[in-house]
Amino acid sequence: MNGLQAIIDSGSKIVFFSGAGVSTESGIPDFRSSEGLYLQEHETSPEEILSHDYFMKHPSKFYRFYREKMVYDNAKPNECHLKIAELERTGRLLMVVTQNIDGLHSAAGSKNVAELHGSIYRNHCIKCGKAYSLDIIKESSIIPICSCGGIIKPDVVLYGEPLDSTTVQCAATAISQADTLIVAGTSLTVYPAAGLIKYFRGRNLVIINRDITNADNLADLVIHEKVGKVFSDIVIK
C-alpha cells in the first residue's frame, strides 16, 4: 500500500484502466471469477446471449437476460470510483479507460471517461438511429420499440461487434502519454480492450486485481486484493 501511495503521489499523467472487478463492491457481479456471471447455470451461455447474432435473432430472450443480469442502475459508486474522480480533480489523471458499462465512474464525478464497451444509459433505434435513455429499456415489457417501429438496442458492444474506433484511439493516446498506468479489476483476457496496455511507455505500471492476471509479470507493482478495499486506504493529495 505504501508503494501504491508513493506511485500515485508521484504521477503527473495517470491513466486508470478499470474492469468488472472495480464494480463488484458496488454490488455488480463480475464475469469470470468463481462467483462470476459466466460460471453460473444458464440454459444458454451468456457469451451466446450477449452476441450480435443472438440479439438480432432472439431479441425477446436477449432482453429478458439483459434486464436481469446487466442493468444495475441502483448501484452506487464505491470507494475506488470516488477516489479516482477525486484524483481527476487534482489535474493529474489524464483519463479513465473502462471496460464497464455501468456508468459508475461518471456517477462518481469523473469527466474524461472512455467507455470501451459502451453504456447501459445510452440506447438507439437500429432502424432510424434515434437515441433513448435507459428508461425505455426498463419500461418496455418485452422488446423496446422506437416510434418508427424499429427495435431499440443498447449502446453496449456485443460479441461479434467492433469497439468504437474513436473511443479506442482516445484511450490508446492517453495510455501512450501516461507516466503511470493503474490497471484494476480486470483479468486482461478480453481483447481488443486488454491489448491497450501495450501502448504504455511510462514509468509505473500497477496491477490491482483479486486474481492473477496475464500482465502481472510486466508490472512494477502488483496487488492481489479487492479494488475498493485498496483505494479506501489511499489518500489523494
Side-chain angles (χ1 to χ4, degrees), residues 142-180:
I142 305 177
I143 305 170
I145 301 296
C146 176
S147 55
C148 78
I151 296 176
I152 297 170
K153 177 187 178 297
D155 284 353
V156 299
V157 178
L158 302 178
Y159 289 102
E161 295 179 338
L163 302 188
D164 178 73
S165 59
T166 301
T167 303
V168 171
Q169 185 57 54
C170 288
T173 299
I175 290 172
S176 69
Q177 294 172 348
D179 59 34
T180 302

PDB file of all heavy atoms in Angstrom, residues 142-180:
ATOM      1  N   ILE A 142     -41.319  -6.223 -23.041  1.00  0.00           N
ATOM      2  CA  ILE A 142     -40.532  -7.246 -23.731  1.00  0.00           C
ATOM      3  C   ILE A 142     -39.444  -6.564 -24.558  1.00  0.00           C
ATOM      4  O   ILE A 142     -38.362  -6.302 -24.063  1.00  0.00           O
ATOM      5  CB  ILE A 142     -41.428  -8.135 -24.631  1.00  0.00           C
ATOM      6  CG1 ILE A 142     -42.575  -8.752 -23.822  1.00  0.00           C
ATOM      7  CG2 ILE A 142     -40.594  -9.262 -25.250  1.00  0.00           C
ATOM      8  CD1 ILE A 142     -43.538  -9.580 -24.628  1.00  0.00           C
ATOM      9  N   ILE A 143     -39.735  -6.263 -25.818  1.00  0.00           N
ATOM     10  CA  ILE A 143     -38.751  -5.639 -26.703  1.00  0.00           C
ATOM     11  C   ILE A 143     -39.053  -4.153 -26.815  1.00  0.00           C
ATOM     12  O   ILE A 143     -40.151  -3.775 -27.228  1.00  0.00           O
ATOM     13  CB  ILE A 143     -38.783  -6.273 -28.110  1.00  0.00           C
ATOM     14  CG1 ILE A 143     -38.587  -7.787 -28.028  1.00  0.00           C
ATOM     15  CG2 ILE A 143     -37.721  -5.650 -29.001  1.00  0.00           C
ATOM     16  CD1 ILE A 143     -38.846  -8.505 -29.343  1.00  0.00           C
ATOM     17  N   PRO A 144     -38.124  -3.266 -26.477  1.00  0.00           N
ATOM     18  CA  PRO A 144     -38.371  -1.834 -26.635  1.00  0.00           C
ATOM     19  C   PRO A 144     -38.402  -1.449 -28.119  1.00  0.00           C
ATOM     20  O   PRO A 144     -37.506  -1.806 -28.882  1.00  0.00           O
ATOM     21  CB  PRO A 144     -37.180  -1.192 -25.922  1.00  0.00           C
ATOM     22  CG  PRO A 144     -36.117  -2.230 -25.932  1.00  0.00           C
ATOM     23  CD  PRO A 144     -36.813  -3.557 -25.880  1.00  0.00           C
ATOM     24  N   ILE A 145     -39.451  -0.738 -28.495  1.00  0.00           N
ATOM     25  CA  ILE A 145     -39.657  -0.382 -29.892  1.00  0.00           C
ATOM     26  C   ILE A 145     -39.651   1.135 -30.055  1.00  0.00           C
ATOM     27  O   ILE A 145     -40.285   1.863 -29.283  1.00  0.00           O
ATOM     28  CB  ILE A 145     -40.992  -0.959 -30.417  1.00  0.00           C
ATOM     29  CG1 ILE A 145     -41.007  -2.486 -30.285  1.00  0.00           C
ATOM     30  CG2 ILE A 145     -41.233  -0.544 -31.864  1.00  0.00           C
ATOM     31  CD1 ILE A 145     -39.972  -3.208 -31.117  1.00  0.00           C
ATOM     32  N   CYS A 146     -38.961   1.590 -31.074  1.00  0.00           N
ATOM     33  CA  CYS A 146     -38.879   3.011 -31.406  1.00  0.00           C
ATOM     34  C   CYS A 146     -40.210   3.510 -31.980  1.00  0.00           C
ATOM     35  O   CYS A 146     -41.041   2.729 -32.450  1.00  0.00           O
ATOM     36  CB  CYS A 146     -37.747   3.211 -32.414  1.00  0.00           C
ATOM     37  SG  CYS A 146     -37.564   4.907 -33.038  1.00  0.00           S
ATOM     38  N   SER A 147     -40.398   4.809 -31.992  1.00  0.00           N
ATOM     39  CA  SER A 147     -41.596   5.407 -32.586  1.00  0.00           C
ATOM     40  C   SER A 147     -41.701   5.125 -34.076  1.00  0.00           C
ATOM     41  O   SER A 147     -42.784   5.168 -34.650  1.00  0.00           O
ATOM     42  CB  SER A 147     -41.602   6.923 -32.341  1.00  0.00           C
ATOM     43  OG  SER A 147     -40.403   7.513 -32.829  1.00  0.00           O
ATOM     44  N   CYS A 148     -40.565   4.788 -34.705  1.00  0.00           N
ATOM     45  CA  CYS A 148     -40.569   4.467 -36.132  1.00  0.00           C
ATOM     46  C   CYS A 148     -40.881   2.990 -36.380  1.00  0.00           C
ATOM     47  O   CYS A 148     -41.036   2.568 -37.524  1.00  0.00           O
ATOM     48  CB  CYS A 148     -39.229   4.827 -36.775  1.00  0.00           C
ATOM     49  SG  CYS A 148     -37.901   3.635 -36.459  1.00  0.00           S
ATOM     50  N   GLY A 149     -40.936   2.213 -35.309  1.00  0.00           N
ATOM     51  CA  GLY A 149     -41.212   0.787 -35.438  1.00  0.00           C
ATOM     52  C   GLY A 149     -39.986  -0.100 -35.354  1.00  0.00           C
ATOM     53  O   GLY A 149     -40.100  -1.329 -35.326  1.00  0.00           O
ATOM     54  N   GLY A 150     -38.800   0.494 -35.297  1.00  0.00           N
ATOM     55  CA  GLY A 150     -37.563  -0.274 -35.212  1.00  0.00           C
ATOM     56  C   GLY A 150     -37.274  -0.746 -33.797  1.00  0.00           C
ATOM     57  O   GLY A 150     -37.801  -0.202 -32.819  1.00  0.00           O
ATOM     58  N   ILE A 151     -36.430  -1.759 -33.672  1.00  0.00           N
ATOM     59  CA  ILE A 151     -36.018  -2.275 -32.357  1.00  0.00           C
ATOM     60  C   ILE A 151     -34.952  -1.360 -31.769  1.00  0.00           C
ATOM     61  O   ILE A 151     -34.039  -0.913 -32.466  1.00  0.00           O
ATOM     62  CB  ILE A 151     -35.472  -3.710 -32.485  1.00  0.00           C
ATOM     63  CG1 ILE A 151     -36.581  -4.661 -32.954  1.00  0.00           C
ATOM     64  CG2 ILE A 151     -34.896  -4.190 -31.156  1.00  0.00           C
ATOM     65  CD1 ILE A 151     -36.085  -6.078 -33.205  1.00  0.00           C
ATOM     66  N   ILE A 152     -35.085  -1.083 -30.491  1.00  0.00           N
ATOM     67  CA  ILE A 152     -34.087  -0.278 -29.788  1.00  0.00           C
ATOM     68  C   ILE A 152     -33.017  -1.202 -29.222  1.00  0.00           C
ATOM     69  O   ILE A 152     -33.329  -2.227 -28.622  1.00  0.00           O
ATOM     70  CB  ILE A 152     -34.744   0.539 -28.666  1.00  0.00           C
ATOM     71  CG1 ILE A 152     -35.755   1.524 -29.269  1.00  0.00           C
ATOM     72  CG2 ILE A 152     -33.688   1.280 -27.844  1.00  0.00           C
ATOM     73  CD1 ILE A 152     -36.617   2.208 -28.238  1.00  0.00           C
ATOM     74  N   LYS A 153     -31.756  -0.830 -29.429  1.00  0.00           N
ATOM     75  CA  LYS A 153     -30.617  -1.635 -28.969  1.00  0.00           C
ATOM     76  C   LYS A 153     -29.781  -0.835 -27.971  1.00  0.00           C
ATOM     77  O   LYS A 153     -29.555   0.355 -28.174  1.00  0.00           O
ATOM     78  CB  LYS A 153     -29.740  -2.037 -30.158  1.00  0.00           C
ATOM     79  CG  LYS A 153     -28.493  -2.828 -29.771  1.00  0.00           C
ATOM     80  CD  LYS A 153     -27.589  -3.043 -30.975  1.00  0.00           C
ATOM     81  CE  LYS A 153     -26.311  -3.787 -30.570  1.00  0.00           C
ATOM     82  NZ  LYS A 153     -25.484  -3.023 -29.606  1.00  0.00           N
ATOM     83  N   PRO A 154     -29.330  -1.481 -26.915  1.00  0.00           N
ATOM     84  CA  PRO A 154     -28.402  -0.789 -26.004  1.00  0.00           C
ATOM     85  C   PRO A 154     -27.097  -0.439 -26.724  1.00  0.00           C
ATOM     86  O   PRO A 154     -26.627  -1.197 -27.576  1.00  0.00           O
ATOM     87  CB  PRO A 154     -28.144  -1.827 -24.903  1.00  0.00           C
ATOM     88  CG  PRO A 154     -29.242  -2.829 -25.038  1.00  0.00           C
ATOM     89  CD  PRO A 154     -29.607  -2.861 -26.473  1.00  0.00           C
ATOM     90  N   ASP A 155     -26.524   0.698 -26.371  1.00  0.00           N
ATOM     91  CA  ASP A 155     -25.215   1.075 -26.917  1.00  0.00           C
ATOM     92  C   ASP A 155     -24.119   0.384 -26.124  1.00  0.00           C
ATOM     93  O   ASP A 155     -23.255   1.026 -25.516  1.00  0.00           O
ATOM     94  CB  ASP A 155     -25.019   2.590 -26.869  1.00  0.00           C
ATOM     95  CG  ASP A 155     -25.796   3.306 -27.959  1.00  0.00           C
ATOM     96  OD1 ASP A 155     -26.370   2.630 -28.824  1.00  0.00           O
ATOM     97  OD2 ASP A 155     -25.841   4.548 -27.932  1.00  0.00           O
ATOM     98  N   VAL A 156     -24.170  -0.932 -26.105  1.00  0.00           N
ATOM     99  CA  VAL A 156     -23.118  -1.745 -25.500  1.00  0.00           C
ATOM    100  C   VAL A 156     -22.558  -2.651 -26.589  1.00  0.00           C
ATOM    101  O   VAL A 156     -23.283  -3.071 -27.490  1.00  0.00           O
ATOM    102  CB  VAL A 156     -23.633  -2.580 -24.306  1.00  0.00           C
ATOM    103  CG1 VAL A 156     -24.160  -1.672 -23.212  1.00  0.00           C
ATOM    104  CG2 VAL A 156     -24.706  -3.556 -24.733  1.00  0.00           C
ATOM    105  N   VAL A 157     -21.273  -2.914 -26.504  1.00  0.00           N
ATOM    106  CA  VAL A 157     -20.617  -3.731 -27.518  1.00  0.00           C
ATOM    107  C   VAL A 157     -20.896  -5.199 -27.233  1.00  0.00           C
ATOM    108  O   VAL A 157     -20.487  -5.732 -26.200  1.00  0.00           O
ATOM    109  CB  VAL A 157     -19.098  -3.469 -27.547  1.00  0.00           C
ATOM    110  CG1 VAL A 157     -18.422  -4.356 -28.584  1.00  0.00           C
ATOM    111  CG2 VAL A 157     -18.821  -1.999 -27.844  1.00  0.00           C
ATOM    112  N   LEU A 158     -21.597  -5.856 -28.156  1.00  0.00           N
ATOM    113  CA  LEU A 158     -21.907  -7.270 -28.018  1.00  0.00           C
ATOM    114  C   LEU A 158     -20.829  -8.097 -28.696  1.00  0.00           C
ATOM    115  O   LEU A 158     -20.050  -7.586 -29.520  1.00  0.00           O
ATOM    116  CB  LEU A 158     -23.270  -7.566 -28.651  1.00  0.00           C
ATOM    117  CG  LEU A 158     -24.464  -6.774 -28.095  1.00  0.00           C
ATOM    118  CD1 LEU A 158     -25.727  -7.132 -28.862  1.00  0.00           C
ATOM    119  CD2 LEU A 158     -24.647  -7.020 -26.608  1.00  0.00           C
ATOM    120  N   TYR A 159     -20.756  -9.372 -28.361  1.00  0.00           N
ATOM    121  CA  TYR A 159     -19.821 -10.262 -29.043  1.00  0.00           C
ATOM    122  C   TYR A 159     -20.140 -10.257 -30.539  1.00  0.00           C
ATOM    123  O   TYR A 159     -21.301 -10.338 -30.937  1.00  0.00           O
ATOM    124  CB  TYR A 159     -19.924 -11.680 -28.496  1.00  0.00           C
ATOM    125  CG  TYR A 159     -19.377 -11.837 -27.106  1.00  0.00           C
ATOM    126  CD1 TYR A 159     -20.220 -11.905 -26.001  1.00  0.00           C
ATOM    127  CD2 TYR A 159     -18.002 -11.907 -26.878  1.00  0.00           C
ATOM    128  CE1 TYR A 159     -19.717 -12.049 -24.714  1.00  0.00           C
ATOM    129  CE2 TYR A 159     -17.491 -12.039 -25.601  1.00  0.00           C
ATOM    130  CZ  TYR A 159     -18.348 -12.112 -24.523  1.00  0.00           C
ATOM    131  OH  TYR A 159     -17.839 -12.235 -23.253  1.00  0.00           O
ATOM    132  N   GLY A 160     -19.102 -10.128 -31.339  1.00  0.00           N
ATOM    133  CA  GLY A 160     -19.285 -10.050 -32.780  1.00  0.00           C
ATOM    134  C   GLY A 160     -19.356  -8.635 -33.304  1.00  0.00           C
ATOM    135  O   GLY A 160     -19.449  -8.426 -34.521  1.00  0.00           O
ATOM    136  N   GLU A 161     -19.308  -7.637 -32.399  1.00  0.00           N
ATOM    137  CA  GLU A 161     -19.331  -6.236 -32.804  1.00  0.00           C
ATOM    138  C   GLU A 161     -17.973  -5.590 -32.516  1.00  0.00           C
ATOM    139  O   GLU A 161     -17.317  -5.936 -31.530  1.00  0.00           O
ATOM    140  CB  GLU A 161     -20.417  -5.468 -32.042  1.00  0.00           C
ATOM    141  CG  GLU A 161     -21.829  -5.919 -32.353  1.00  0.00           C
ATOM    142  CD  GLU A 161     -22.880  -5.155 -31.568  1.00  0.00           C
ATOM    143  OE1 GLU A 161     -22.546  -4.584 -30.510  1.00  0.00           O
ATOM    144  OE2 GLU A 161     -24.034  -5.145 -32.005  1.00  0.00           O
ATOM    145  N   PRO A 162     -17.547  -4.637 -33.337  1.00  0.00           N
ATOM    146  CA  PRO A 162     -16.274  -3.958 -33.101  1.00  0.00           C
ATOM    147  C   PRO A 162     -16.413  -2.883 -32.026  1.00  0.00           C
ATOM    148  O   PRO A 162     -17.510  -2.354 -31.800  1.00  0.00           O
ATOM    149  CB  PRO A 162     -15.959  -3.327 -34.457  1.00  0.00           C
ATOM    150  CG  PRO A 162     -17.311  -3.031 -35.037  1.00  0.00           C
ATOM    151  CD  PRO A 162     -18.201  -4.185 -34.585  1.00  0.00           C
ATOM    152  N   LEU A 163     -15.309  -2.571 -31.362  1.00  0.00           N
ATOM    153  CA  LEU A 163     -15.302  -1.422 -30.467  1.00  0.00           C
ATOM    154  C   LEU A 163     -15.347  -0.149 -31.300  1.00  0.00           C
ATOM    155  O   LEU A 163     -14.956  -0.133 -32.465  1.00  0.00           O
ATOM    156  CB  LEU A 163     -14.028  -1.423 -29.610  1.00  0.00           C
ATOM    157  CG  LEU A 163     -13.743  -2.641 -28.735  1.00  0.00           C
ATOM    158  CD1 LEU A 163     -12.554  -2.351 -27.826  1.00  0.00           C
ATOM    159  CD2 LEU A 163     -14.945  -3.053 -27.925  1.00  0.00           C
ATOM    160  N   ASP A 164     -15.834   0.920 -30.687  1.00  0.00           N
ATOM    161  CA  ASP A 164     -15.855   2.212 -31.368  1.00  0.00           C
ATOM    162  C   ASP A 164     -14.422   2.688 -31.589  1.00  0.00           C
ATOM    163  O   ASP A 164     -13.649   2.834 -30.636  1.00  0.00           O
ATOM    164  CB  ASP A 164     -16.623   3.225 -30.522  1.00  0.00           C
ATOM    165  CG  ASP A 164     -16.651   4.603 -31.156  1.00  0.00           C
ATOM    166  OD1 ASP A 164     -17.371   4.791 -32.147  1.00  0.00           O
ATOM    167  OD2 ASP A 164     -15.911   5.478 -30.649  1.00  0.00           O
ATOM    168  N   SER A 165     -14.070   2.939 -32.827  1.00  0.00           N
ATOM    169  CA  SER A 165     -12.674   3.249 -33.168  1.00  0.00           C
ATOM    170  C   SER A 165     -12.205   4.561 -32.549  1.00  0.00           C
ATOM    171  O   SER A 165     -11.040   4.683 -32.134  1.00  0.00           O
ATOM    172  CB  SER A 165     -12.495   3.288 -34.687  1.00  0.00           C
ATOM    173  OG  SER A 165     -13.341   4.263 -35.273  1.00  0.00           O
ATOM    174  N   THR A 166     -13.087   5.548 -32.459  1.00  0.00           N
ATOM    175  CA  THR A 166     -12.710   6.833 -31.871  1.00  0.00           C
ATOM    176  C   THR A 166     -12.408   6.684 -30.385  1.00  0.00           C
ATOM    177  O   THR A 166     -11.420   7.231 -29.871  1.00  0.00           O
ATOM    178  CB  THR A 166     -13.829   7.869 -32.071  1.00  0.00           C
ATOM    179  OG1 THR A 166     -14.071   8.039 -33.471  1.00  0.00           O
ATOM    180  CG2 THR A 166     -13.436   9.210 -31.468  1.00  0.00           C
ATOM    181  N   THR A 167     -13.240   5.914 -29.685  1.00  0.00           N
ATOM    182  CA  THR A 167     -13.024   5.678 -28.250  1.00  0.00           C
ATOM    183  C   THR A 167     -11.709   4.938 -28.021  1.00  0.00           C
ATOM    184  O   THR A 167     -10.937   5.285 -27.120  1.00  0.00           O
ATOM    185  CB  THR A 167     -14.190   4.872 -27.661  1.00  0.00           C
ATOM    186  OG1 THR A 167     -15.411   5.561 -27.893  1.00  0.00           O
ATOM    187  CG2 THR A 167     -14.005   4.658 -26.161  1.00  0.00           C
ATOM    188  N   VAL A 168     -11.451   3.926 -28.836  1.00  0.00           N
ATOM    189  CA  VAL A 168     -10.215   3.151 -28.710  1.00  0.00           C
ATOM    190  C   VAL A 168      -8.999   4.034 -28.955  1.00  0.00           C
ATOM    191  O   VAL A 168      -8.002   3.966 -28.226  1.00  0.00           O
ATOM    192  CB  VAL A 168     -10.221   1.952 -29.677  1.00  0.00           C
ATOM    193  CG1 VAL A 168      -8.855   1.277 -29.700  1.00  0.00           C
ATOM    194  CG2 VAL A 168     -11.294   0.957 -29.288  1.00  0.00           C
ATOM    195  N   GLN A 169      -9.074   4.891 -29.973  1.00  0.00           N
ATOM    196  CA  GLN A 169      -7.949   5.759 -30.294  1.00  0.00           C
ATOM    197  C   GLN A 169      -7.677   6.755 -29.172  1.00  0.00           C
ATOM    198  O   GLN A 169      -6.517   7.008 -28.811  1.00  0.00           O
ATOM    199  CB  GLN A 169      -8.204   6.511 -31.605  1.00  0.00           C
ATOM    200  CG  GLN A 169      -7.025   7.352 -32.080  1.00  0.00           C
ATOM    201  CD  GLN A 169      -5.763   6.541 -32.259  1.00  0.00           C
ATOM    202  OE1 GLN A 169      -5.762   5.544 -32.972  1.00  0.00           O
ATOM    203  NE2 GLN A 169      -4.676   6.950 -31.610  1.00  0.00           N
ATOM    204  N   CYS A 170      -8.730   7.313 -28.599  1.00  0.00           N
ATOM    205  CA  CYS A 170      -8.559   8.240 -27.475  1.00  0.00           C
ATOM    206  C   CYS A 170      -7.908   7.542 -26.285  1.00  0.00           C
ATOM    207  O   CYS A 170      -7.016   8.099 -25.629  1.00  0.00           O
ATOM    208  CB  CYS A 170      -9.913   8.816 -27.062  1.00  0.00           C
ATOM    209  SG  CYS A 170     -10.620  10.004 -28.224  1.00  0.00           S
ATOM    210  N   ALA A 171      -8.341   6.308 -26.013  1.00  0.00           N
ATOM    211  CA  ALA A 171      -7.774   5.545 -24.900  1.00  0.00           C
ATOM    212  C   ALA A 171      -6.311   5.225 -25.157  1.00  0.00           C
ATOM    213  O   ALA A 171      -5.456   5.373 -24.262  1.00  0.00           O
ATOM    214  CB  ALA A 171      -8.565   4.260 -24.695  1.00  0.00           C
ATOM    215  N   ALA A 172      -5.995   4.788 -26.370  1.00  0.00           N
ATOM    216  CA  ALA A 172      -4.617   4.439 -26.713  1.00  0.00           C
ATOM    217  C   ALA A 172      -3.701   5.654 -26.615  1.00  0.00           C
ATOM    218  O   ALA A 172      -2.562   5.557 -26.123  1.00  0.00           O
ATOM    219  CB  ALA A 172      -4.565   3.848 -28.114  1.00  0.00           C
ATOM    220  N   THR A 173      -4.193   6.801 -27.058  1.00  0.00           N
ATOM    221  CA  THR A 173      -3.396   8.030 -26.988  1.00  0.00           C
ATOM    222  C   THR A 173      -3.106   8.416 -25.550  1.00  0.00           C
ATOM    223  O   THR A 173      -1.968   8.757 -25.195  1.00  0.00           O
ATOM    224  CB  THR A 173      -4.127   9.180 -27.706  1.00  0.00           C
ATOM    225  OG1 THR A 173      -4.304   8.851 -29.087  1.00  0.00           O
ATOM    226  CG2 THR A 173      -3.335  10.477 -27.604  1.00  0.00           C
ATOM    227  N   ALA A 174      -4.126   8.363 -24.695  1.00  0.00           N
ATOM    228  CA  ALA A 174      -3.932   8.717 -23.286  1.00  0.00           C
ATOM    229  C   ALA A 174      -2.948   7.770 -22.613  1.00  0.00           C
ATOM    230  O   ALA A 174      -2.053   8.208 -21.876  1.00  0.00           O
ATOM    231  CB  ALA A 174      -5.275   8.689 -22.557  1.00  0.00           C
ATOM    232  N   ILE A 175      -3.080   6.473 -22.874  1.00  0.00           N
ATOM    233  CA  ILE A 175      -2.175   5.492 -22.278  1.00  0.00           C
ATOM    234  C   ILE A 175      -0.744   5.709 -22.747  1.00  0.00           C
ATOM    235  O   ILE A 175       0.209   5.599 -21.961  1.00  0.00           O
ATOM    236  CB  ILE A 175      -2.661   4.064 -22.602  1.00  0.00           C
ATOM    237  CG1 ILE A 175      -3.957   3.763 -21.829  1.00  0.00           C
ATOM    238  CG2 ILE A 175      -1.591   3.018 -22.245  1.00  0.00           C
ATOM    239  CD1 ILE A 175      -4.628   2.467 -22.222  1.00  0.00           C
ATOM    240  N   SER A 176      -0.564   6.047 -24.016  1.00  0.00           N
ATOM    241  CA  SER A 176       0.783   6.266 -24.551  1.00  0.00           C
ATOM    242  C   SER A 176       1.438   7.511 -23.966  1.00  0.00           C
ATOM    243  O   SER A 176       2.670   7.624 -23.941  1.00  0.00           O
ATOM    244  CB  SER A 176       0.733   6.383 -26.082  1.00  0.00           C
ATOM    245  OG  SER A 176       0.086   7.578 -26.488  1.00  0.00           O
ATOM    246  N   GLN A 177       0.629   8.450 -23.477  1.00  0.00           N
ATOM    247  CA  GLN A 177       1.155   9.698 -22.911  1.00  0.00           C
ATOM    248  C   GLN A 177       1.334   9.624 -21.398  1.00  0.00           C
ATOM    249  O   GLN A 177       1.914  10.529 -20.795  1.00  0.00           O
ATOM    250  CB  GLN A 177       0.206  10.854 -23.248  1.00  0.00           C
ATOM    251  CG  GLN A 177       0.115  11.177 -24.733  1.00  0.00           C
ATOM    252  CD  GLN A 177      -0.969  12.190 -25.053  1.00  0.00           C
ATOM    253  OE1 GLN A 177      -1.817  12.498 -24.205  1.00  0.00           O
ATOM    254  NE2 GLN A 177      -0.961  12.716 -26.266  1.00  0.00           N
ATOM    255  N   ALA A 178       0.853   8.562 -20.780  1.00  0.00           N
ATOM    256  CA  ALA A 178       0.842   8.462 -19.314  1.00  0.00           C
ATOM    257  C   ALA A 178       2.212   8.121 -18.746  1.00  0.00           C
ATOM    258  O   ALA A 178       2.987   7.377 -19.353  1.00  0.00           O
ATOM    259  CB  ALA A 178      -0.170   7.402 -18.876  1.00  0.00           C
ATOM    260  N   ASP A 179       2.490   8.655 -17.565  1.00  0.00           N
ATOM    261  CA  ASP A 179       3.691   8.217 -16.833  1.00  0.00           C
ATOM    262  C   ASP A 179       3.341   7.102 -15.851  1.00  0.00           C
ATOM    263  O   ASP A 179       4.210   6.387 -15.371  1.00  0.00           O
ATOM    264  CB  ASP A 179       4.379   9.388 -16.115  1.00  0.00           C
ATOM    265  CG  ASP A 179       3.492  10.102 -15.104  1.00  0.00           C
ATOM    266  OD1 ASP A 179       2.653   9.458 -14.453  1.00  0.00           O
ATOM    267  OD2 ASP A 179       3.634  11.333 -14.964  1.00  0.00           O
ATOM    268  N   THR A 180       2.029   6.952 -15.568  1.00  0.00           N
ATOM    269  CA  THR A 180       1.551   5.923 -14.645  1.00  0.00           C
ATOM    270  C   THR A 180       0.275   5.309 -15.203  1.00  0.00           C
ATOM    271  O   THR A 180      -0.656   6.035 -15.571  1.00  0.00           O
ATOM    272  CB  THR A 180       1.245   6.519 -13.257  1.00  0.00           C
ATOM    273  OG1 THR A 180       2.437   7.146 -12.750  1.00  0.00           O
ATOM    274  CG2 THR A 180       0.787   5.450 -12.285  1.00  0.00           C
TER     275      THR A 180
END
